[in-house]
Amino acid sequence: MTAVLGGCGLGDDEGDVTLRLVAADYGNSKANSSQKYWDALVADYESEHPGVKVDVSVYSWNDVDREVKDMVADGNPPDMAQIGAYADYAADGLLYSAGELLSISTEADFVSRLAAAGEVDSTQYGMPFAASTRLLFYNKTLFTKAGLTPPKTWAELAADAAALKAAGVKYPYALPLGSEEAQAETMQWLLSGGGGYTEDIGTYGIDSAANVDTLTWLKDDLVGKGLTGPVAPGKLNRADAFAAFANGEVGMLNGHPTLMKTAAAKGVKFGMVPMPGVDGPTKYSMGVADWMTAFKQNGHAEQIGDFLDFVYDEKNVLAFSREYDLLPVTVSASEVMSTAKEDKDLEPFLEELPGSELYPVGKTSWAEVSVAVKQRIGTAVAAGGSPSAVLGGIQSKALMAESAE
């Protein structure tokens, strides 16, 4: 055993080190489960590091955050968790910082906007693992039949939606404000109206005048005129909206890169443009990142850091991004993807990333605020709904949650 460990210097005095990693599944079938990606990557790593074993458990996005939370509550956290949030664990002092683990070159290679979004009190605890941005998808066939061009403004979007409705399109504009991912659709619309979840100084500004105006426009000019389809926005989930688009039933909707493959597989001809704004294309697109975290409890900082340096190697970041139609989180991989012919379809999303706005994930209150948005925002645009009242209620919830941090 001593001879084996001497080969890499990463084993401890008691023998081999086994690192436990919990990860989310980005696949849509057993054939492309993330487990296959991790199994291959770990096999490569272990072949070069005989003193370290990596045990990976992959869970669906419906379960992974809860599984990790339960492990932490039971006093048995994994060494690493690739999940949707990190701020609670960082605030409780449970996580290594990126600087305690990664080589200088790896840490410096993160896309700066994503690295900054992983900070709590100016220290990075969330290491970005995967990213995506949003664009407006439109059905080219339906647009051609109706004699339409892609919209650049809200007024053009509403006019196109009205023409699509007149042509018998089931969902002229699909507005998924159901509980699955309402916080994403909401944020994209708030940004397009010049607002967002937070003010420039980082405090919550959910009930700002700009945000109220945005939801009022949605309520009166889209939903109220029957331009969002037969399912009430508050009952329509993203997965159902994406499926309807792939079935040729949607004229327009906000989508991320994975929708391209789904739609193409069903033979839908689609185009993608920046999200329309009040007077022109939206200045800021919504960005989303998922996070790699490392827990302190079991030690193993040296081994964790060495493994993560391998995970974030350019070839591995590119392999993951290409497998799941996601955007790379490192500068080196982004530069390769921006010029590679095989990645041309992702180029419009890559162009949006540097100017994208992410959820305020550095706030421990965000998880609670996100739930409130999912539960309530659909009522703001429903008949008889009050955007100002709904946004005001969520703002109060946000301030209470933040004061408890």
Side-chain angles (χ1 to χ4, degrees), residues 231-288:
V231 180
K235 301 293 184 182
L236 182 65
N237 283 324
R238 183 198 67 182
D240 296 328
F242 278 19
F245 186 85
N247 288 331
E249 299 174 330
V250 175
M252 299 172 280
L253 85 171
N254 281 316
H256 52 64
T258 58
L259 181 57
M260 293 189 298
K261 186 177 291 185
T262 304
K266 290 288 193 75
V268 173
K269 295 180 180 179
F270 60 88
M272 302 175 296
V273 294
M275 177 67 181
V278 178
D279 300 314
T282 301
K283 183 178 180 181
Y284 298 110
S285 173
M286 190 192 76
V288 176

Side-chain angles (χ1 to χ4, degrees), residues 100-121:
E100 292 176 293
L101 299 171
L102 303 176
S103 67
I104 293 174
S105 59
T106 298
E107 190 177 4
D109 197 27
F110 287 130
V111 173
S112 60
R113 186 170 289 271
L114 300 179
E119 294 180 355
V120 174
D121 295 331

Side-chain angles (χ1 to χ4, degrees), residues 357-374:
E357 292 287 335
L358 282 76
Y359 300 130
V361 289
K363 295 177 175 289
T364 59
S365 56
W366 169 243
E368 190 172 345
V369 174
S370 177
V371 170
V373 173
K374 292 178 181 180

Side-chain angles (χ1 to χ4, degrees), residues 6 134 347:
R134 299 292 197 269
E347 189 173 328

